[in-house]
């Protein structure tokens, strides 16, 4: 009975995500020049169902956004650092505000479509402009598809990341930024006073930026560490390859759901040698099993039209 | 993304279009800073982002002031020719533009916090003409999200540019506007059947067409229209010149005296005294009564203080030329908001006006005047050697090259450069040249690189300083505050959002010791301050009337209670977003200290807690 309820919940989550997703589908406008568009879908699970409020753009402490303006499609994910919960601070608020602010910047056109790190920085500084100061830290990854230049520009800070797959091969991927094991680079605003500097604060300028020319049919996966720490890259690759050239948003949604569900079940599999456990072993920590975490999957294909 | 236009058909078959704002042309003030998108004017663009939520959200357009608090502060300005002001004075405005020109049928204003401040809506044809769509008193409303859509007048042109005017003097807290939509028809429906509105009591027939109507609201607008026309004839030369009094009045001066009736037995000085209470429109009407009245009503003594701000939509270069004939003794001039289009007033014309009438000027107000350029400042600095007050809010055209000229003035008592691009070097030169400076507003001046340097000059050269406004200037640090503490006469300081002062050290102790006369202390969101930083003010500044502590997480209810108990003159205390102060304590204090207006703002999101939420 319990499992039935759980399954029902999972299905409803997935359904709800799909409903949300309609807003991210681009307008079917056909220009004269063939321009790339990002057809995207999102899926994910919060680590803990019982004490999270369900809100659009959030999976637990993870947050995501998808927006577009003129010749750019922009997607992003952020993973709020959970440690703040011990200090009475909701870690999800920081990441969610950051992503919402990015979305606002994009949808009012106040961003440079070839400089996503600037977008990340402006949104970070915007956190100080709120009457109600929000504290916390987050990792973040933003991908901008610049339609004029057929190029994606990315900015990544921390251990969220992206993978670009073309014809079954990973052609481009983000580098993980870590201070030390399981401690990614992060944007943070600690509550004052911060005299002892014990809080890790990386400036938004330290984001890792790349650019990469995309082709028709490329598959882009943007996800938080809840996915990359639990699903081996080869399995991800197998799933993503199925989407090569896919233009049906529903198919993309299906794969996104599959990846999210896979990550979710592997995360709670205590006997699975997850990528996270492998990395831990490299650092001399004898760990086994997945890493229960919030999971966010943003999946898109590049379609020229 | 913006203005997803929605076309529907009106009952008469024409396509009507609902549009949201695409751009903000100009505005008079905003809460947010220049480098941010929180609480800024631009948030009025696009679809509502927060409605139907109600609360204090950064995603909306918020103005800088509300209520009476700024008019009771030491820095308040003395009104020039207040009789010109309408019953409902406009305090702020915003010009918003839409994608396509339409004939407006309705204007919807999404108010998400403290609604009821809109008092006028204007529409422009985009060149020079402004027409009033709606006018009404500020409204007292419940604390609920509100879509304000007043009945609007029909206009005979298509528009994509609106101006909203606000009066928020009756509000408890900041008003917040989320979005504005305008619905209108694309094509002219049919030629508007026009009726002349003839009112026996009025001297002049309105030459404009206005649809006849019976509702009282429209009567107001007709009176308004007449008023406008009279005003335009007062200020525009063409109308008045054609109605020269000599055409209708007998040449003999004796007869003229008779015509003047009972006024003839009054000395001219008495009549002038009576006239001095009239607004510009009435003065002009008097000038058209007969020859003696004309002589008196155009006497230069009546035109020593001129306030053209209430007539901003009528003022052109011609009006200035015409007024210059009467302004021999002009001392105070308020041209704020005038010249909303480049064609209205040219910088050259303004300079000519200043050259011919500006020798005695002591006060010039040019807030939001878009024609003001560097050459205007150069002319003012050269001609108006006695200038004591200059306000240049939102004059964004001005650059360093213009501002340096102001250093030749040395009587300045008030300088207001809110939201301008003034830079450090020019400002320092001006401050050094103006030992009498009493009030300075440097709010949102983003081009000033070192506010500490400015504070040092203020503390050294401007010892008579009474009020200083550093709102949202990020380069001010505790070092600058210490310099300011040398201005011992200081009564008002606004360092709200000066994030550089977040960890204040002992600078507030120095400020409190150095400035015992402080009456207004605004220190919102200095994030790092705590109780220890506030006690010096309680002990040293007994005259404190207004204190803003918004967003200071570090302060506790202990210090707030001490403030309430010790500062006997306190009238205003803002403890919004002070998380260590609980709502219940605020409620208790409100009962205990009824003479103090304690502010407590809030953000509330409609939360979805059920499994299948209705998402907006």
């Amino acid at each position: 009975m319990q499992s039935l309820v759980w399954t029902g919940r999972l299905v409803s989550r997935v359904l709800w995500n799909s409903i949300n997703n309609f807003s991210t589908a681009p307008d079917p406008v056909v220009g004269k020049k063939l321009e790339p568009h990002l057809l995207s879908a999102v899926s994910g699970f919060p680590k803990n169902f019982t004490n999270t409020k369900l809100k659009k753009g959030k999976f637990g402490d993870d947050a995501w956004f998808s927006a577009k303006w003129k010749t750019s499609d922009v997607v992003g994910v952020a993973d709020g650092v959970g440690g703040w919960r011990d200090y009475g601070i909701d870690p999800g608020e920081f990441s969610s505000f950051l992503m919402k602010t990015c979305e606002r910047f994009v949808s009012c056109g106040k961003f440079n479509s070839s400089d996503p790190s600037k977008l990340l920085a402006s949104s970070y500084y915007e956190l100080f402009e709120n009457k109600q100061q929000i504290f916390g830290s987050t990792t973040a990854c933003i991908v901008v598809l610049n339609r004029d230049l057929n190029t994606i520009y990315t900015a990544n800070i921390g251990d969220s990341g992206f993978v670009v797959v073309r014809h079954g091969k990973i052609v481009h991927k983000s580098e993980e930024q870590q201070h030390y094991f399981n401690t990614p680079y992060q944007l943070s605003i600690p509550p004052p006073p911060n005299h002892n500097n014990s809080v890790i604060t990386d400036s938004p300028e330290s984001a890792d930026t790349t650019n990469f020319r995309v082709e028709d049919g490329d598959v882009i996966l943007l996800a938080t560490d809840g996915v990359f720490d639990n699903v081996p890259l080869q399995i991800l690759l197998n799933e993503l390859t199925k989407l090569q050239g896919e233009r049906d948003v529903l198919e993309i949604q299906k794969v996104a759901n599959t990846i999210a569900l896979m990550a979710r079940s592997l995360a709670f599999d205590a006997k699975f040698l997850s990528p996270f456990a492998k990395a831990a072993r490299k650092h001399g920590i004898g760990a086994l099993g997945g890493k229960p975490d919030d999971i966010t999957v943003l999946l898109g294909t590049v379609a020229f039209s | 993304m913006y203005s997803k236009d929605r076309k529907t058909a009106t009952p008469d078959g024409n396509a009507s279009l609902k549009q949201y704002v695409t751009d903000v042309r100009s505005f008079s003030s905003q809460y947010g800073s220049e480098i941010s998108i929180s609480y800024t004017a631009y948030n009025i663009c696009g679809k509502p982002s927060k409605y139907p939520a109600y609360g204090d959200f950064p995603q909306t357009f918020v103005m800088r002031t509300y209520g009476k608090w700024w008019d009771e502060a030491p820095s308040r300005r003395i009104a020039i020719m207040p009789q010109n002001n309408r019953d409902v004075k406009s305090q702020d405005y915003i010009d918003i533009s839409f994608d396509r020109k339409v004939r407006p049928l309705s204007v919807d204003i999404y108010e998400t916090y403290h609604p009821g401040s809109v008092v006028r809506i204007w529409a422009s044809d985009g060149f020079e003409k402004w027409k009033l769509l709606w006018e009404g008193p500020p409204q007292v409303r419940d604390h609920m999200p509100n879509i304000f859509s007043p009945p609007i007048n029909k206009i005979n042109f298509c528009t994509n540019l609106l101006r909203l005017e606000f009066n928020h003097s009756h509000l408890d807290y900041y008003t917040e506007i989320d979005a504005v939509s305008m619905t209108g028809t694309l094509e002219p429906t049919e030629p508007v059947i026009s009726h002349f509105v003839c009112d026996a009591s009025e001297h002049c027939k309105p030459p404009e067409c206005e649809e006849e109507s019976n509702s009282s609201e429209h009567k107001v607008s007709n009176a308004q229209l007449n008023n406008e026309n009279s005003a335009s004839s007062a200020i525009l030369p063409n109308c008045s010149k054609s109605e020269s009094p000599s055409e209708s009045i007998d040449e003999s001066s004796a007869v003229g005296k008779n015509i003047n009736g009972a006024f003839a037995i009054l000395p001219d000085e008495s009549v002038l005294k009576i006239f001095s209470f009239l607004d510009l429109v009435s003065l002009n009407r008097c000038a058209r009564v007969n020859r003696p009245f004309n002589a008196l009503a155009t006497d230069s003594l009546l035109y020593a203080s001129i306030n053209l701000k209430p007539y901003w939509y009528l003022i052109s270069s011609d009006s200035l030329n015409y007024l210059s004939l009467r302004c021999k003794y002009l001392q105070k001039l308020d041209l704020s908001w005038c010249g909303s289009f480049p064609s209205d007033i040219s910088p050259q014309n303004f300079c000519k006006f200043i050259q011919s009438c500006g020798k005695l000027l002591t006060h010039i107000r040019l807030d939001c005047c878009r024609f003001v350029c560097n050459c205007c400042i150069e002319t003012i600095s050269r001609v108006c050697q006695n200038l004591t007050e200059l306000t240049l809010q939102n004059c964004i055209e001005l650059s360093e090259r213009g501002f340096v000229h102001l250093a030749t003035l040395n009587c300045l008592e008030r300088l207001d450069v809110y939201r301008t691009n003034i830079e450090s070097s020019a400002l320092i030169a001006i401050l050094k040249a103006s030992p009498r400076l009493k009030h300075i507003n440097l709010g949102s001046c983003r081009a000033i690189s070192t506010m500490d340097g400015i504070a040092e000059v203020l503390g050294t050269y401007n010892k008579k300083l009474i009020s200083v406004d550093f709102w949202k200037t990020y380069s001010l640090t505790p070092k600058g505050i210490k310099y300011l503490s040398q201005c011992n006469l200081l009564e008002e300081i606004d360092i709200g959002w000066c994030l550089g002062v977040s960890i204040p050290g002992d600078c507030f102790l120095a400020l409190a010791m150095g400035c015992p006369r402080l009456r207004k202390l605004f220190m919102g969101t200095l994030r790092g301050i705590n109780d220890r930083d506030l006690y010096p003010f309680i002990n040293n500044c007994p005259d404190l009337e207004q204190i803003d502590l918004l967003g200071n997480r570090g302060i506790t209810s202990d210090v707030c209670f001490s403030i309430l108990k010790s500062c006997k003159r306190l009238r205003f205390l803002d403890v919004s977003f002070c998380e260590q102060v609980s709502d219940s304590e605020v409620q208790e204090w409100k009962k205990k200290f009824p003479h103090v207006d304690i502010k407590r703002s809030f953000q509330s999101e409609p939360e979805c807690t059920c499994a299948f939420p209705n998402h907006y």
Side-chain angles (χ1 to χ4, degrees):
Chain A
M1 188 61 205
Q2 189 70 24
S3 67
L4 194 67
V5 172
W6 268 100
T7 319
R9 277 198 173 189
L10 292 187
V11 169
S12 72
R13 295 294 149 137
V14 168
L15 271 178
W16 190 58
N17 292 330
S18 334
I19 292 165
N20 280 336
N21 182 57
F22 279 120
S23 61
T24 64
D27 294 333
V29 182
V30 184
K32 276 180 186 170
K33 183 187 152 229
L34 280 181
E35 279 189 339
H37 289 271
L38 201 59
L39 304 171
S40 66
V42 66
S43 187
F45 298 100
K47 175 177 168 182
N48 196 338
F49 278 119
T50 46
N51 61 1
T52 45
K53 286 169 188 159
L54 195 58
K55 267 175 138 181
K56 190 182 171 184
K58 275 182 86 170
F59 294 107
D61 301 341
D62 284 2
W64 61 273
F65 81 98
S66 154
K68 56 188 169 134
W69 194 76
K70 285 194 175 161
T71 58
S72 310
D73 293 333
V74 188
V75 287
V77 293
D79 178 4
V81 174
W84 287 105
R85 199 167 274 117
D86 302 340
Y87 298 82
I89 293 166
D90 176 8
E93 209 170 325
F94 192 89
S95 52
S96 155
F97 189 89
L98 190 77
M99 289 295 104
K100 272 191 200 155
T101 312
C102 285
E103 190 176 357
R104 278 173 69 205
F105 270 112
V106 173
S107 47
C108 68
K110 291 194 173 177
F111 76 109
N112 181 343
S113 66
S114 52
D115 192 357
S117 69
K118 193 91 178 290
L119 173 64
L120 206 54
S122 330
S123 303
Y124 171 70
Y125 292 122
E126 204 60 40
L127 283 157
F128 293 96
E129 298 285 340
N130 199 335
K131 285 184 189 174
Q132 173 132 47
Q133 176 85 70
I134 294 165
F135 299 107
S137 359
T138 186
T139 71
C141 184
I142 292 181
V143 175
V144 181
L145 172 66
N146 186 323
R147 279 185 228 144
D148 289 336
L149 302 169
N150 299 353
T151 305
I152 54 166
Y153 292 86
T154 68
N156 182 35
I157 190 154
D159 57 2
S160 298
F162 62 89
V163 178
V164 184
V165 173
R166 184 182 298 161
H167 301 301
K169 279 197 185 115
I170 294 176
V171 284
H172 190 57
K173 86 188 257 297
S174 60
E175 295 297 324
E176 199 170 272
Q177 287 180 307
Q178 279 199 346
H179 287 287
Y180 39 86
F181 176 63
N182 206 18
T183 307
Y185 275 52
Q186 49 200 269
L187 297 171
S188 56
I189 300 179
N194 179 30
H195 297 306
N196 53 6
N197 282 330
S198 59
V199 178
I200 295 164
T201 311
D202 298 296
S203 72
E205 286 78 12
S206 66
D208 191 11
T209 56
T210 66
N211 60 72
F212 182 74
R213 224 179 140 74
V214 289
E215 287 177 10
D216 191 15
D218 284 359
V219 185
I220 302 172
L221 168 74
L222 182 62
T224 54
D225 59 344
V227 175
F228 294 115
D229 279 350
N230 290 312
V231 188
L233 208 53
Q234 189 53 49
I235 299 180
L236 279 180
L237 190 58
N238 293 345
E239 287 299 322
L240 296 178
T241 309
K242 291 181 197 162
L243 281 182
Q244 177 70 37
E246 183 59 60
R247 295 197 173 210
D248 184 354
V249 180
L250 272 177
E251 289 301 317
I252 302 171
Q253 182 70 57
K254 272 186 202 164
V255 175
N257 294 347
T258 311
I259 293 174
L261 201 54
M262 192 151 51
R264 171 86 191 170
S265 31
L266 289 175
F268 287 92
D269 184 343
K271 289 188 182 146
F272 173 64
L273 188 63
S274 63
F276 177 76
K278 276 185 191 161
R281 285 176 180 213
K282 266 187 202 160
H283 286 85
I285 304 164
L288 189 65
K291 177 187 161 200
D293 199 350
D294 301 311
I295 292 157
T296 302
V297 178
L298 252 164
L299 192 54
T301 60
V302 178
F304 280 63
S305 56
Chain B
M1 187 76 189
Y2 279 156
S3 71
K4 283 271 168 64
D5 303 341
R6 216 181 65 199
K7 274 188 195 173
T8 46
T10 52
D12 51 359
N14 272 300
S16 90
L17 184 69
K18 181 173 179 174
Q19 308 180 81
Y20 291 97
V21 181
T22 45
D23 201 9
V24 174
R25 295 279 181 89
S26 86
F27 57 90
S28 58
S29 81
Q30 67 179 7
Y31 187 93
S33 73
E34 296 308 292
I35 55 166
S36 154
I37 56 167
S38 298
Y39 312 104
T40 53
Y42 198 82
N43 288 332
I44 207 168
C45 296
K47 284 182 179 174
S49 53
K50 278 291 154 189
Y51 185 87
Y54 184 81
D56 197 343
F57 300 118
Q59 293 89 342
T60 55
F61 165 47
V62 190
M63 282 159 279
R64 183 77 170 71
T65 61
Y66 66 90
K68 57 192 175 163
W69 303 108
W70 279 260
D71 293 329
E72 291 179 355
S75 63
R76 67 182 173 273
R77 296 188 198 168
I78 313 292
I80 295 174
M81 211 181 180
Q83 65 267 35
N84 278 5
N85 288 327
R86 307 261 185 81
D87 298 341
V88 182
K89 200 178 147 188
S90 296
Q91 297 170 311
D92 274 306
Y93 78 85
I94 184 168
D95 284 355
I96 46 181
S97 64
F98 298 83
D99 224 15
R100 300 187 63 179
K101 286 194 168 191
V102 292
R103 243 168 231 258
L105 296 170
S106 74
V107 175
D108 298 331
I109 300 159
Y110 295 75
E111 303 174 293
T112 48
Y113 203 43
H114 289 93
S117 64
V118 180
V119 292
R120 277 180 202 94
I121 304 172
W122 299 85
S124 165
D125 63 356
F127 301 104
E128 51 193 5
K129 198 161 62 179
W130 286 95
K131 275 281 183 188
L132 192 67
L133 289 182
W134 176 82
E135 176 179 47
Q139 342 218 326
V140 180
R141 289 187 182 278
D142 295 336
H143 294 294
M144 298 268 283
N146 181 43
I147 299 179
F148 182 58
S149 39
I152 59 172
N153 300 333
K154 280 188 179 167
I155 53 172
N156 52 7
F157 56 84
C158 289
T159 181
N160 66 346
L161 180 61
L162 297 183
R163 171 174 292 205
L164 309 182
E165 289 186 12
F166 303 92
N167 182 318
H168 32 66
S169 58
H170 66 301
L171 290 181
D172 269 351
Y173 209 64
Y174 295 97
T175 188
E176 301 195 354
I177 312 286
D178 193 2
V180 176
S181 75
M182 174 167 72
T183 309
T185 50
L186 280 171
E187 277 82 35
T189 45
E190 54 190 282
V192 178
I193 304 156
S194 55
H195 300 277
F196 280 98
V197 184
C198 299
D199 187 346
S201 67
E202 286 288 332
H203 291 288
C204 49
K205 272 186 191 173
E208 297 281 341
C209 311
E210 182 78 358
E211 257 208 320
E212 199 175 56
S213 67
N214 299 322
S215 76
S216 59
E217 276 153 12
H218 282 105
K219 271 180 191 155
V220 172
S221 68
N222 287 338
Q224 166 66 30
L225 187 78
N226 289 337
N227 209 12
E228 265 176 50
N229 287 309
S230 320
S232 64
S233 53
I235 295 155
L236 298 169
N238 301 342
C239 314
S240 288
K241 268 179 189 163
S242 63
E243 292 187 41
S244 164
S246 58
E247 288 167 16
S248 56
I249 299 164
D250 198 293
E251 285 298 307
S252 151
S253 63
V255 178
K257 279 247 156 91
N258 284 343
I259 287 171
N260 225 5
F263 273 101
I265 57 171
L266 281 176
D268 284 354
E269 287 77 6
S270 308
V271 182
L272 276 181
K273 183 71 188 168
I274 295 169
F275 278 1
S276 70
F277 294 102
L278 295 179
D279 60 279
L280 268 182
V281 175
S282 312
L283 262 184
N284 183 66
R285 285 188 190 148
C286 291
R288 282 184 286 159
V289 170
N290 56 29
R291 182 164 282 254
F293 258 44
N294 180 270
L296 288 169
T298 56
D299 195 297
S300 299
L301 285 175
L302 293 172
Y303 297 84
S305 298
I306 294 188
N307 173 15
L308 296 173
K309 184 176 165 187
Y311 311 122
W312 59 266
Y313 51 96
L314 297 166
I315 305 302
S316 65
S317 289
D318 293 340
S319 335
L320 286 185
N321 291 344
Y322 186 60
L323 274 172
S324 68
L325 302 174
R326 302 178 182 181
C327 296
K328 279 187 200 132
Y329 310 119
L330 188 63
Q331 292 180 338
K332 299 180 180 178
L333 175 68
D334 192 343
L335 258 180
S336 301
W337 298 16
C338 295
S340 47
F341 297 114
S343 57
D344 287 350
I345 301 178
S346 68
Q348 290 72 26
N349 250 292
F350 175 77
C351 292
K352 219 173 94 192
F353 179 78
I354 292 293
Q355 268 162 356
S356 63
C357 324
K359 290 216 169 49
L360 302 174
L361 269 173
T362 57
H363 293 59
I364 303 181
R365 293 179 187 165
L366 298 169
D367 300 335
C368 313
C369 290
R370 286 203 268 177
F371 62 85
V372 175
C373 64
N374 291 338
C375 68
C376 301
I377 297 299
E378 196 264 324
T379 311
I380 290 173
S381 312
R382 188 161 38 80
V383 179
C384 317
Q385 283 297 322
N386 300 320
L387 202 65
T388 58
E389 174 173 330
L390 181 63
T391 70
L392 297 166
Q393 290 192 358
N394 299 301
C395 292
I396 40 179
E397 294 290 312
L398 293 175
S399 72
E400 187 78 353
R401 289 227 319 276
F403 282 116
V404 285
H405 295 293
L406 290 177
T408 60
L409 299 172
N410 41 34
C411 309
L412 270 185
E413 289 177 15
R414 180 192 294 270
L415 181 65
D416 190 337
V417 285
Y418 169 78
R419 275 195 83 232
T420 57
N421 294 319
I422 193 166
E423 287 170 38
S424 300
S425 56
L427 185 58
I428 287 174
I430 296 168
L431 295 178
K432 285 185 176 172
S434 312
R436 298 185 204 167
L437 196 73
K438 287 182 183 159
H439 304 282
I440 187 155
N441 185 345
L442 300 170
S444 294
C445 289
R446 60 171 165 180
I448 297 176
S449 50
T450 55
M451 207 45 104
D452 286 348
I454 306 296
E456 185 179 1
V457 176
L458 283 171
T460 319
Y461 294 86
N462 308 96
K463 297 277 190 193
K464 294 188 174 168
L465 206 65
I466 289 176
S467 80
V468 59
D469 190 338
F470 282 131
W471 178 260
K472 299 239 181 196
T473 51
Y474 297 109
S475 54
L476 188 73
T477 71
K479 214 166 117 195
I481 304 277
K482 279 193 183 168
Y483 289 126
L484 272 183
S485 65
Q486 295 165 19
C487 300
N488 304 120
L489 302 178
L490 206 63
E491 291 179 22
E492 171 178 342
I493 181 166
D494 190 336
I495 46 171
W497 296 85
C498 293
L499 300 179
V501 196
S502 280
I503 299 165
D506 59 349
C507 74
F508 287 135
L509 178 67
L511 186 69
M513 302 283 273
C515 312
R517 296 187 177 200
L518 270 184
R519 287 165 57 199
K520 172 173 166 176
L521 178 64
F522 270 40
M523 40 206 302
T525 68
L526 301 184
R527 308 301 188 197
I529 64 167
N530 53 35
D531 292 1
R532 198 194 55 204
D533 300 310
L534 291 177
Y535 281 113
F537 293 107
I538 302 176
N539 298 330
N540 293 294
C541 309
D543 296 335
L544 275 172
E545 292 168 7
Q546 302 182 24
I547 303 179
D548 179 6
L549 299 172
L550 175 140
N552 287 318
R553 210 181 143 102
I555 60 162
T556 67
S557 43
D558 292 348
V559 76
C560 297
F561 188 70
S562 293
I563 290 173
L564 287 164
K565 222 169 51 181
S566 314
C567 301
K568 297 291 176 209
R569 301 191 173 196
L570 195 72
R571 295 290 171 271
F572 171 95
L573 179 68
D574 192 336
V575 288
S576 308
F577 304 110
C578 295
E579 287 177 17
Q580 296 194 46
V581 179
S582 72
D583 286 338
S584 58
E585 279 168 317
V586 172
Q587 290 306 325
E588 210 174 287
W589 296 337
K590 279 184 178 172
K591 276 185 207 140
K592 213 167 180 177
F593 304 97
H595 58 285
V596 185
D597 200 341
I598 305 174
K599 304 293 185 191
R600 185 77 170 170
S601 187
F602 61 90
Q603 280 181 338
S604 67
E605 296 265 6
E607 299 278 3
C608 310
T609 43
C610 55
F612 291 101
N614 302 316
H615 68 100
Y616 333 93

